[in-house]
Amino acid sequence: MRADVQQVADGAYLVHGSNTNWVILTEGDAVTLVDTGYPGDREQLLASLAELGSSPEAVEAVLITHAHNDHLGSAEYLRGGYGMPVYLHEAEVPHARREFLHQVSVGTVVKNGWRPGVLPWAVHAIRSGGTAHVPVASPQAFPAPGALDLPGRPVPVHTPGHTDGHSAFHLPDRGVLISGDALVSGHPTSRAKGPQLLPDMFHHERPRAVASLDVLATLEADLLLPGHGPVHRGPVREAVLQARERAL
């Protein structure tokens, strides 16, 4: 299956999987992979690396914005099969091990089934492994504060609310923000286009998710690579203002 790979900056690629995105950062032959899509996206994930002339063996680490199945899907496959570390915020490490699950429940989805797009999204999510049990056996907390010593030099930014340990990744030298689900530009269950928060049912603590927008607004970047939706170009602070207005 061919992957939809879009180069958005030097050494930065946004890949659209099935209703979710991941990011590939390159420096020479070395790669950092940010998120991994649904379990059912694995073929596309591997194809996206191959399209860039790369492979799992070149991935130095997998960074996970948060441990929902549509972002964590192939993390354990890569860790167990190829030996690269899987890094998350320390508060998200037990979530990745599945000591608990902060994810929208089937009951909540059913209650919201009348909303446009929810039922088709839910069917797709289930078929793609959205309810599968995909824990990471040995996830690790980010090894040190500040920029990680990995291709792209990504800087983790704690943005709780969607989950307790959700993290975005800032690439100040490239003017890029990988926002995960803290700030998106679209979703199958949303009629809105452009910068926005995900619908309320997806957030573990919506007030904290709204508050985390203030953290993102302080970052200098003009390319937003979200966990869902297309790349957004323009100052991140302006994208945050749009999302805040829609969240009122």
Side-chain angles (χ1 to χ4, degrees), residues 8-248:
V8 294
D10 184 29
Y13 302 84
L14 181 66
V15 186
H16 300 289
S18 62
N19 288 352
T20 190
N21 302 331
W22 55 88
V23 175
I24 300 172
L25 305 175
T26 63
E27 281 186 8
D29 293 332
V31 168
T32 301
L33 180 62
V34 184
D35 286 342
T36 68
Y38 280 104
D41 289 337
R42 185 168 301 158
E43 184 178 339
Q44 284 183 283
L45 177 69
L46 298 176
S48 67
L49 291 169
E51 186 168 331
L52 300 180
S54 189
S55 66
E57 289 85 355
V59 178
E60 293 196 358
V62 177
L63 306 181
I64 300 295
T65 58
H66 64 293
H68 285 165
N69 276 19
D70 56 335
H71 299 260
L72 192 72
S74 286
E76 177 60 18
Y77 166 81
L78 293 169
R79 188 207 66 81
Y82 298 94
M84 77 279 290
V86 175
Y87 291 122
L88 312 90
H89 187 275
E90 61 182 357
E92 202 71 3
V93 166
H95 195 192
R97 286 197 296 256
R98 287 297 181 260
E99 295 177 15
F100 55 83
L101 183 60
H102 288 166
Q103 188 164 289
V104 63
S105 68
V106 173
T108 298
V109 171
V110 170
K111 289 178 182 178
N112 285 270
W114 59 273
R115 298 180 184 277
V118 169
L119 288 181
W121 165 82
V123 170
H124 174 271
I126 291 169
R127 288 176 174 172
S128 300
T131 58
H133 186 58
V134 289
V136 179
S138 301
Q140 301 178 48
F142 301 128
L148 301 174
D149 187 19
L150 294 169
R153 300 284 293 171
V155 180
V157 181
H158 188 209
T159 46
H162 186 63
T163 63
D164 285 347
H166 187 288
S167 290
F169 296 97
H170 186 210
L171 282 63
D173 293 343
R174 305 187 193 190
V176 169
L177 175 64
I178 303 168
S179 58
D181 285 4
L183 178 61
V184 302
S185 61
H187 192 268
T189 63
S190 171
R191 288 180 171 177
K193 303 296 182 184
Q196 60 190 282
L197 288 177
L198 285 170
D200 293 355
M201 69 176 178
F202 292 113
H203 298 300
H204 180 59
E205 292 182 87
R206 185 181 185 277
R208 294 182 78 195
V210 173
S212 285
L213 291 174
D214 293 338
V215 176
L216 297 180
T218 68
L219 303 176
E220 292 294 329
D222 54 15
L223 278 175
L224 177 68
L225 310 185
H228 302 275
V231 59
H232 178 80
R233 301 179 186 274
V236 165
R237 68 179 68 88
E238 293 182 9
V240 167
L241 286 175
Q242 293 181 51
R244 270 198 165 279
E245 290 174 358
R246 286 171 166 159
L248 294 177

